[in-house]
Amino acid sequence: MDEMERVEVSTLTVAYRDIGPTGEMRASAYVIHAEEAVRHFWRYRPPLEDEPVYSPTKLEIRLHQPLRFEDEVRMIVQVDKIGGKSVGFEVAMEKDGQTMAEVDLTWTARNGEGGDPVALPEDIRDWLYRYVR
């Protein structure tokens, strides 16, 4: 399979709107693009009836080198933990083979009515284990 056909890999070109006054990508843009990478990955999960909703409950960013306007970035999503009710993702942002930033996101499964945390469905857990690093 071609590298760019992998479900856990996506790309972006840093847009001008993401750049702050210092010429570097704004911190909020790292979060937005990491969430987009996870959403890209997530759309390949197995279809389920009555699937819970998933919402972010934790976020951490580690910036190693700043990204700048028109940088070509490769984003790789890895599952770094699977809990009873949550899943942790790490999104590595690479430029020219060097890790520029890492964004950790935790999503919690919730029921659609009251928003209470619920167990991750087994089919989702089984699928996620294929991407644990």
Side-chain angles (χ1 to χ4, degrees), residues 108-130:
T108 298
R110 300 182 183 279
N111 68 26
E113 296 173 16
D116 294 324
V118 296
L120 287 172
E122 281 303 312
D123 288 350
I124 296 294
R125 295 171 65 76
D126 292 344
W127 176 75
L128 288 167
Y129 274 114
R130 296 176 16 198

Short mmCIF file of all heavy atoms in Angstrom, two decimals, residues 108-130:
data_model
loop_
_atom_site.label_atom_id
_atom_site.label_comp_id
_atom_site.label_asym_id
_atom_site.label_seq_id
_atom_site.Cartn_x
_atom_site.Cartn_y
_atom_site.Cartn_z
N THR A 108 -13.21 10.59 24.82
CA THR A 108 -14.02 9.76 25.70
C THR A 108 -15.34 9.44 25.00
O THR A 108 -15.96 10.31 24.40
CB THR A 108 -14.28 10.48 27.03
OG1 THR A 108 -13.02 10.72 27.67
CG2 THR A 108 -15.17 9.67 27.96
N ALA A 109 -15.73 8.16 25.09
CA ALA A 109 -17.02 7.73 24.53
C ALA A 109 -18.11 8.17 25.49
O ALA A 109 -17.99 8.01 26.71
CB ALA A 109 -17.02 6.20 24.37
N ARG A 110 -19.19 8.71 24.95
CA ARG A 110 -20.31 9.20 25.76
C ARG A 110 -21.62 8.76 25.14
O ARG A 110 -21.72 8.64 23.92
CB ARG A 110 -20.27 10.71 25.87
CG ARG A 110 -19.00 11.24 26.50
CD ARG A 110 -19.04 12.76 26.62
NE ARG A 110 -17.81 13.29 27.15
CZ ARG A 110 -17.48 13.31 28.43
NH1 ARG A 110 -18.30 12.82 29.32
NH2 ARG A 110 -16.35 13.81 28.83
N ASN A 111 -22.62 8.57 25.99
CA ASN A 111 -23.93 8.26 25.42
C ASN A 111 -24.49 9.55 24.82
O ASN A 111 -24.12 10.65 25.19
CB ASN A 111 -24.88 7.63 26.44
CG ASN A 111 -25.32 8.56 27.55
OD1 ASN A 111 -25.34 9.78 27.39
ND2 ASN A 111 -25.65 8.00 28.68
N GLY A 112 -25.35 9.39 23.85
CA GLY A 112 -25.85 10.55 23.11
C GLY A 112 -26.88 11.37 23.85
O GLY A 112 -27.16 12.48 23.46
N GLU A 113 -27.44 10.84 24.92
CA GLU A 113 -28.51 11.56 25.60
C GLU A 113 -28.01 12.43 26.73
O GLU A 113 -28.13 13.64 26.69
CB GLU A 113 -29.55 10.56 26.08
CG GLU A 113 -30.21 9.86 24.90
CD GLU A 113 -31.12 8.74 25.33
OE1 GLU A 113 -31.48 8.67 26.51
OE2 GLU A 113 -31.46 7.93 24.46
N GLY A 114 -27.40 11.84 27.74
CA GLY A 114 -26.96 12.62 28.88
C GLY A 114 -25.50 13.01 28.83
O GLY A 114 -25.04 13.82 29.62
N GLY A 115 -24.76 12.42 27.89
CA GLY A 115 -23.34 12.74 27.79
C GLY A 115 -22.48 12.01 28.80
O GLY A 115 -21.31 12.36 28.96
N ASP A 116 -23.04 11.01 29.49
CA ASP A 116 -22.26 10.26 30.46
C ASP A 116 -21.27 9.35 29.75
O ASP A 116 -21.57 8.78 28.70
CB ASP A 116 -23.18 9.41 31.34
CG ASP A 116 -24.10 10.25 32.21
OD1 ASP A 116 -23.65 11.32 32.68
OD2 ASP A 116 -25.26 9.85 32.41
N PRO A 117 -20.05 9.19 30.33
CA PRO A 117 -19.09 8.26 29.73
C PRO A 117 -19.64 6.84 29.68
O PRO A 117 -20.34 6.41 30.61
CB PRO A 117 -17.89 8.35 30.67
CG PRO A 117 -18.01 9.69 31.32
CD PRO A 117 -19.49 9.91 31.47
N VAL A 118 -19.34 6.15 28.57
CA VAL A 118 -19.76 4.76 28.37
C VAL A 118 -18.57 3.96 27.87
O VAL A 118 -17.56 4.52 27.43
CB VAL A 118 -20.94 4.65 27.37
CG1 VAL A 118 -22.18 5.35 27.90
CG2 VAL A 118 -20.56 5.20 26.01
N ALA A 119 -18.70 2.65 27.93
CA ALA A 119 -17.63 1.77 27.48
C ALA A 119 -17.42 1.89 25.96
O ALA A 119 -18.38 2.06 25.21
CB ALA A 119 -17.95 0.32 27.83
N LEU A 120 -16.15 1.81 25.54
CA LEU A 120 -15.85 1.75 24.12
C LEU A 120 -16.42 0.45 23.56
O LEU A 120 -16.24 -0.61 24.15
CB LEU A 120 -14.34 1.74 23.88
CG LEU A 120 -13.57 3.03 24.10
CD1 LEU A 120 -12.07 2.77 24.00
CD2 LEU A 120 -13.98 4.08 23.09
N PRO A 121 -17.11 0.50 22.43
CA PRO A 121 -17.61 -0.73 21.82
C PRO A 121 -16.46 -1.68 21.45
O PRO A 121 -15.39 -1.23 21.04
CB PRO A 121 -18.34 -0.24 20.56
CG PRO A 121 -18.65 1.20 20.84
CD PRO A 121 -17.52 1.69 21.69
N GLU A 122 -16.70 -2.97 21.59
CA GLU A 122 -15.66 -3.98 21.31
C GLU A 122 -15.15 -3.89 19.88
O GLU A 122 -13.95 -4.05 19.64
CB GLU A 122 -16.17 -5.39 21.61
CG GLU A 122 -16.16 -5.73 23.08
CD GLU A 122 -14.79 -5.61 23.73
OE1 GLU A 122 -13.79 -6.12 23.16
OE2 GLU A 122 -14.70 -5.00 24.81
N ASP A 123 -16.04 -3.68 18.91
CA ASP A 123 -15.60 -3.59 17.51
C ASP A 123 -14.64 -2.41 17.31
O ASP A 123 -13.67 -2.51 16.55
CB ASP A 123 -16.79 -3.44 16.56
CG ASP A 123 -17.59 -4.72 16.43
OD1 ASP A 123 -17.11 -5.78 16.91
OD2 ASP A 123 -18.68 -4.68 15.84
N ILE A 124 -14.90 -1.31 17.97
CA ILE A 124 -14.02 -0.15 17.89
C ILE A 124 -12.69 -0.46 18.56
O ILE A 124 -11.62 -0.17 18.02
CB ILE A 124 -14.68 1.10 18.51
CG1 ILE A 124 -15.94 1.50 17.75
CG2 ILE A 124 -13.69 2.26 18.62
CD1 ILE A 124 -15.70 1.99 16.33
N ARG A 125 -12.74 -1.08 19.73
CA ARG A 125 -11.52 -1.45 20.44
C ARG A 125 -10.65 -2.36 19.58
O ARG A 125 -9.44 -2.17 19.46
CB ARG A 125 -11.83 -2.12 21.77
CG ARG A 125 -12.52 -1.23 22.78
CD ARG A 125 -13.01 -2.02 23.99
NE ARG A 125 -11.91 -2.59 24.74
CZ ARG A 125 -11.11 -1.91 25.55
NH1 ARG A 125 -11.31 -0.63 25.73
NH2 ARG A 125 -10.14 -2.51 26.19
N ASP A 126 -11.26 -3.38 18.97
CA ASP A 126 -10.52 -4.32 18.13
C ASP A 126 -9.87 -3.60 16.96
O ASP A 126 -8.71 -3.86 16.62
CB ASP A 126 -11.44 -5.43 17.61
CG ASP A 126 -11.92 -6.36 18.71
OD1 ASP A 126 -11.34 -6.36 19.81
OD2 ASP A 126 -12.91 -7.09 18.46
N TRP A 127 -10.60 -2.67 16.33
CA TRP A 127 -10.05 -1.91 15.22
C TRP A 127 -8.89 -1.03 15.68
O TRP A 127 -7.85 -0.96 15.03
CB TRP A 127 -11.16 -1.08 14.58
CG TRP A 127 -10.70 -0.18 13.48
CD1 TRP A 127 -10.36 -0.56 12.20
CD2 TRP A 127 -10.51 1.24 13.54
NE1 TRP A 127 -9.98 0.54 11.48
CE2 TRP A 127 -10.07 1.65 12.27
CE3 TRP A 127 -10.69 2.19 14.54
CZ2 TRP A 127 -9.79 2.99 11.99
CZ3 TRP A 127 -10.43 3.51 14.26
CH2 TRP A 127 -9.98 3.90 12.99
N LEU A 128 -9.06 -0.36 16.83
CA LEU A 128 -8.02 0.53 17.34
C LEU A 128 -6.73 -0.20 17.65
O LEU A 128 -5.64 0.34 17.44
CB LEU A 128 -8.53 1.25 18.60
CG LEU A 128 -9.58 2.32 18.38
CD1 LEU A 128 -10.21 2.73 19.71
CD2 LEU A 128 -8.98 3.54 17.68
N TYR A 129 -6.82 -1.44 18.14
CA TYR A 129 -5.62 -2.20 18.49
C TYR A 129 -4.70 -2.40 17.29
O TYR A 129 -3.49 -2.58 17.47
CB TYR A 129 -5.98 -3.54 19.13
CG TYR A 129 -6.21 -3.43 20.62
CD1 TYR A 129 -7.47 -3.66 21.16
CD2 TYR A 129 -5.18 -3.05 21.47
CE1 TYR A 129 -7.70 -3.53 22.51
CE2 TYR A 129 -5.40 -2.93 22.84
CZ TYR A 129 -6.66 -3.18 23.36
OH TYR A 129 -6.89 -3.03 24.70
N ARG A 130 -5.22 -2.33 16.09
CA ARG A 130 -4.38 -2.46 14.89
C ARG A 130 -3.42 -1.27 14.75
O ARG A 130 -2.44 -1.35 14.02
CB ARG A 130 -5.24 -2.56 13.64
CG ARG A 130 -6.09 -3.80 13.64
CD ARG A 130 -7.04 -3.93 12.49
NE ARG A 130 -6.81 -3.08 11.35
CZ ARG A 130 -7.72 -2.82 10.43
NH1 ARG A 130 -8.93 -3.34 10.53
NH2 ARG A 130 -7.45 -2.04 9.41
#
